[in-house]
Amino acid sequence: MKLESLVGTPRIEVIKSSVISTNSLPGVCAEIGVYKGGTAQIIAENTQKKLYLCDTFTGLPYWDSAIDGNAHKVGSFSRITEEEHGKFLFYISKKSNIRLCKGIFPEETGKFLEDEIFSFVHLDVDSYLSYINCLNFFYTRIVPGGIIIFDDYNASTCPGAKVAVDEFFSDKPEKIIPTAECQAMIIKL
């Protein structure tokens, strides 16, 4: 069963190869911003590690048009059909390594991940504030050689994502690596 994704094939290939390249590292995997589950499925199919999937499942919790633009708003990405939701829940019910966390990250769901270290993190959270919150949570918890992927880094519809990532890493040793389409990543030093 193939779950739907808004992420194009080039970005999916980067996610897949990054997960595979971090499988030998200590730590678990996480995706923040699951939506219909397409990229979650790619991650799950390429690792045996525990995988945390975090989403509000009610759309974007934050959106400030002054920094994030006008392409989206609070609640965008909340539309998911009953069939899509059912396919996603059926898929994850068959995978013993998946932990589903529903709520705003990290305010409501970070507590489920706070004692973990991470080898791979996929962030698809669109807004400035969500990226800052995720980076503040994950940066100290990602192992050397671990990868964080930023799905929206160069997306014209999510300008706050690039602002947040650039701002966060401005005083860090890691370099932001553009990958496919609008995506970028860092490898933790």
Side-chain angles (χ1 to χ4, degrees):
M1 164 189 345
K2 185 172 181 339
L3 298 174
E4 289 186 45
S5 176
L6 298 179
V7 174
T9 301
R11 288 184 284 165
I12 286 173
E13 289 302 317
V14 171
I15 293 167
K16 180 179 177 180
S17 64
S18 296
V19 170
I20 291 168
S21 74
T22 60
N23 275 334
S24 62
L25 298 174
V28 300
C29 300
E31 178 175 67
I32 314 302
V34 177
Y35 194 41
K36 297 180 182 182
T39 54
Q41 182 176 18
I42 297 302
I43 298 165
E45 290 177 353
N46 287 286
T47 191
Q48 297 302 310
K49 294 180 176 197
K50 187 186 303 180
L51 169 58
Y52 288 93
L53 300 177
C54 303
D55 200 302
T56 64
F57 297 102
T58 59
L60 297 175
Y62 308 111
W63 194 264
D64 179 348
S65 59
I67 194 164
D68 293 315
N70 295 311
H72 305 302
K73 61 184 179 183
V74 171
S76 290
F77 303 107
S78 62
R79 290 194 174 170
I80 183 167
T81 67
E82 218 172 283
E83 179 185 356
E84 291 166 333
H85 190 67
K87 279 173 63 175
F88 174 68
L89 291 177
F90 179 77
Y91 176 78
I92 65 170
S93 72
K94 303 293 182 195
K95 303 293 254 175
S96 62
N97 62 322
I98 293 179
R99 306 290 182 268
L100 186 62
C101 304
K102 182 179 179 183
I104 297 172
F105 186 87
E107 297 91 324
E108 298 171 352
T109 57
K111 62 187 173 196
F112 302 114
L113 292 73
E114 63 189 7
D115 294 330
E116 299 281 11
I117 59 169
F118 296 86
S119 60
F120 176 84
V121 176
H122 180 239
L123 301 178
D124 188 356
V125 294
D126 296 63
S127 76
Y128 173 87
L129 186 56
S130 291
Y131 268 99
I132 288 295
N133 289 343
C134 287
L135 290 168
N136 282 327
F137 184 89
F138 285 112
Y139 184 74
T140 59
R141 291 177 171 92
I142 195 141
V143 300
I147 294 174
I148 302 175
I149 292 181
F150 317 108
D151 184 69
D152 315 294
Y153 181 73
N154 274 318
S156 62
T157 56
C158 304
K162 184 178 188 330
V163 172
V165 173
D166 287 351
E167 181 182 294
F168 186 85
F169 285 98
S170 67
D171 63 349
K172 309 284 187 294
E174 291 81 13
K175 300 296 176 218
I176 299 164
I177 306 163
T179 57
E181 298 170 335
C182 59
Q183 185 186 67
M185 65 186 242
I186 62 100
I187 302 171
K188 181 73 181 280
L189 297 176

